[in-house]
Amino acid sequence: MTNILPVLDRASADIPASLERLFELVRIKSISTDPAFKADCRRAAEWLVKELRSLGFDATVRDTPGHPMVVAHHEGAKADAPHVLFYGHYDVQPVDPLNLWDHDPFDPAVREVEGGRRIITGRGTSDDKGQLLTFVEACRAYKETVGALPCRVTILFEGEEESGSPSLKPFLEANAAELTADFALVCDTSMWDADTPAISAGLRGLVGEEIVVKAADRDLHSGYFGGAAANPIHILADVLAGLHDETGRVTLPGFYDGVEETPTQIKAAWEKLGSSAESFLGEIGLSIPSGEKGRSVLELTWARPTAEVNGITGGYTGEGFKTVIAAEASAKVSFRLVGKQDPAKIRDAFRAYVRAKIPADCSVSFHAHGGSPAIQLPYDSALLGKAKDALSDEWPKPAVVIGMGGSIPIVGDFQKMLGMESLLVGFALSDDRIHSPNEKYDLRSFEKGIRSWVRILAALAAR
Amino acid sequence: MTNILPVLDRASADIPASLERLFELVRIKSISTDPAFKADCRRAAEWLVKELRSLGFDATVRDTPGHPMVVAHHEGAKADAPHVLFYGHYDVQPVDPLNLWDHDPFDPAVREVEGGRRIITGRGTSDDKGQLLTFVEACRAYKETVGALPCRVTILFEGEEESGSPSLKPFLEANAAELTADFALVCDTSMWDADTPAISAGLRGLVGEEIVVKAADRDLHSGYFGGAAANPIHILADVLAGLHDETGRVTLPGFYDGVEETPTQIKAAWEKLGSSAESFLGEIGLSIPSGEKGRSVLELTWARPTAEVNGITGGYTGEGFKTVIAAEASAKVSFRLVGKQDPAKIRDAFRAYVRAKIPADCSVSFHAHGGSPAIQLPYDSALLGKAKDALSDEWPKPAVVIGMGGSIPIVGDFQKMLGMESLLVGFALSDDRIHSPNEKYDLRSFEKGIRSWVRILAALAAR
């Protein structure tokens, strides 16, 4: 096994330059959900290709019907080392409401906060630009120190992760041979806490649906028509309020098909992590678990399915008051899936449930936004064991194997389409405010993240 | 009694010039709910003062903490004729969504539509600029023909009717002596149909409330926190869905206190008007009455109270999808009141109902938007009889005495604060799309409206 100490030292010494590169990438407004930023997404992809080429990767921007992919290849020093595919995404979430940001989301900077902690501020610093660069910078440290990478690396960067990855499946299908490796490394997840790295062995799936309820053929004066004309906001409220019963369970018929109870020993391990409802929810100003009764917050967010309304709008929402009955109202609803829940069946069950609540003289339309099943990596995997040891060497506390509430559809696609398992390692923290105003990434996450990949690549190469 | 035929002829001959004046007023963007249009509201008031002065009125713009009032006085020719106060409002509703307008809402024009019918298009043509000018132009016809008005006239034009009239009560109180007349004429209502004038003897009251539900202290990633963190949209949907029971009744405790059943003979008269659910709702693309079961649409909209959600917003509502759990969600809710329902008690009952549904770790804030009780003019009033005859002389069909679903808080204020009853006569039509895109006023409403006021003023003067 290569002596990795010089590589680690080089990674740490390079941090100022690594940060400059991260800043360049964060300044590119690659918001994939908003068509206004289409050109910025391409610019981010082109920036990444340029960087990877400078490291000796055979890197290209690859067009899709949506935002482009970045694909890059690099040989490994050892013939018997595995071939790994590294995945990240260069697109970011929208930044509204902009007035809640303390700093320009696209003007990143390192700032010192309480306790001397240093954070990198800006949209995408944590999700996922800072994370994906930890791997790129680890490769750089290898190249600049030993002139080679310890194993063969293929890189895939996506630009549509925040908008349901519409181009991903066709792209994987069309380029299966080129992209198939021994396994995938995915860096889009969090640490357990600031000292404890985590490997996510379970990932919830996701089904997104937008529904638009239409009633009258125009907005109405609520004085003239109120009490007789259907109000689409009432219909929508009724639909959404009926999604959960009084115990917090989702009411859709068949919703829990394929959901298994978490094994007792797993639940016991999670209990030891000591995340009480108070500490988990206290961080965000809450204290009472809102979902299914009688389950811990870790179980609720890692191992139980949900239905959440992510957005709703209808009628007059400006300043002041307008006594209108709206012609239509709409909501964006997402379901987090676990176990063997079938995204297509969940979508169908939701649509049938909604249709049954729509009066005969009104109508509803549905718009699908992404769908992916849940994923579970076997707890006894060798891959998982090597990564756990490598991470435990870098950080103050040993790595833990946890569940994950969020969805990373790519992991399911890698499994189904390319036959690859994925190792989910990330250095985000729960206070990174991803998807929210004031997103940040700890400077420590960035530096020790880079060093962690140096160690993991060495461990994986040493088979 | 004055021979009014020359006055009527003059009114009709003047229509082209009257229209030019209406266009000038409609071009002023006097949207009272949006602070961006504050200066426009003042311009509308100043325009009206200039017009009234040109007719010999002693007219002034009168400042308030909000948008200004217009007050004008003119003596009458007969000492024994009553003193009337005419009320209208120069402010208009917002115009969004602008993309649904066929023409610029602030560039009015007369357009010929199917059947040779001519309509005046633009925001406020019907509600209420076109209506208030019918009275002003009737005064002009008198002045230009006989050089005098048949009775003493005071005019009050308000600029905050569409935003809950916050300045009105203090203004009436401070100027009670100046504004008190024998009774009020209010022109802000509709015809029964295009051939049948209507006098509205009953008016529903209104309570407006905006509620903001707050949960976590920031927007959350629904993957990380979904299933454990409170979702304010769910709470709001639950609040709003619970406002009505399965029979369409409002569930607030005490909500129906003070609501009396409509007398059988009144209901029978309404039955004769032949407004079936099909025709009433068919005009707006609906067919099924949505409110309390077992009541006609006329009863539902004229004589029954309601709860309506006028607007709702929360979470991500832009293009695409964002898997966020919002920090807050809000709704604008209004109640239409009848009989002796108490606006303050309704507001209190609503707030108590909402508070009881908010989890202990979440919060709610309330913002009041206007409150007025319902009004009922006695069916045997002499005022009502004279106006009914005058209207019946002008239009193809006799005038009918009806109820009104909308609220005109001024009518309650005139009654309570100045001891005046109000005669509600207006020439709007149910297809005028007030508060909606493509508002219009029929040219026939405008011309015969002016002529109707010529007749009504003569009838009132001839006591």
Side-chain angles (χ1 to χ4, degrees), chain B residues 58-60 62 69-73 154-157 171 178-179:
Chain B
D58 172 15
T60 45
R62 306 280 282 269
M69 303 280 177
V70 170
V71 178
H73 301 282
T154 295
I155 285 178
L156 173 65
F157 292 143
F171 190 80
E178 182 183 356
L179 296 170

Side-chain angles (χ1 to χ4, degrees), chain A residues 226-285:
Chain A
N231 184 327
I233 303 177
H234 296 194
I235 297 165
L236 192 59
D238 189 48
V239 163
L240 301 178
L243 271 178
H244 295 89
D245 69 17
E246 65 283 359
T247 70
R249 280 173 69 90
V250 176
T251 57
L252 299 181
F255 184 75
Y256 291 92
D257 290 356
V259 178
E260 282 179 16
E261 282 299 320
T262 307
T264 312
Q265 81 255 36
I266 303 293
K267 284 202 211 185
W270 292 347
E271 288 295 325
K272 282 196 201 142
L273 291 175
S275 178
S276 67
E278 289 69 34
S279 67
F280 183 87
L281 295 172
E283 261 184 55
I284 53 167

Side-chain angles (χ1 to χ4, degrees), chain B residues 348-394:
Chain B
D348 289 347
F350 176 63
R351 290 181 174 189
Y353 160 81
V354 174
R355 284 199 188 96
K357 292 220 166 206
I358 305 297
D361 58 347
C362 299
S363 66
V364 61
S365 59
F366 298 93
H367 308 274
H369 288 275
S372 60
I375 296 293
Q376 187 69 44
L377 188 70
Y379 284 96
D380 56 0
S381 137
L383 175 62
L384 200 154
K386 285 182 179 181
K388 192 163 185 274
D389 291 345
L391 286 166
S392 301
D393 286 346
E394 175 63 26

Side-chain angles (χ1 to χ4, degrees), chain A residues 8-19:
Chain A
L8 292 171
D9 288 347
R10 177 68 186 230
S12 290
D14 253 4
I15 286 298
S18 300
L19 272 175

Side-chain angles (χ1 to χ4, degrees), chain B residues 319-341:
Chain B
E319 268 203 68
F321 211 89
K322 187 170 168 179
T323 50
V324 68
I325 298 179
E328 65 176 58
S330 66
K332 298 178 204 274
V333 179
S334 63
F335 300 90
R336 298 282 169 180
L337 311 186
V338 302
K340 301 200 187 313
Q341 280 180 299

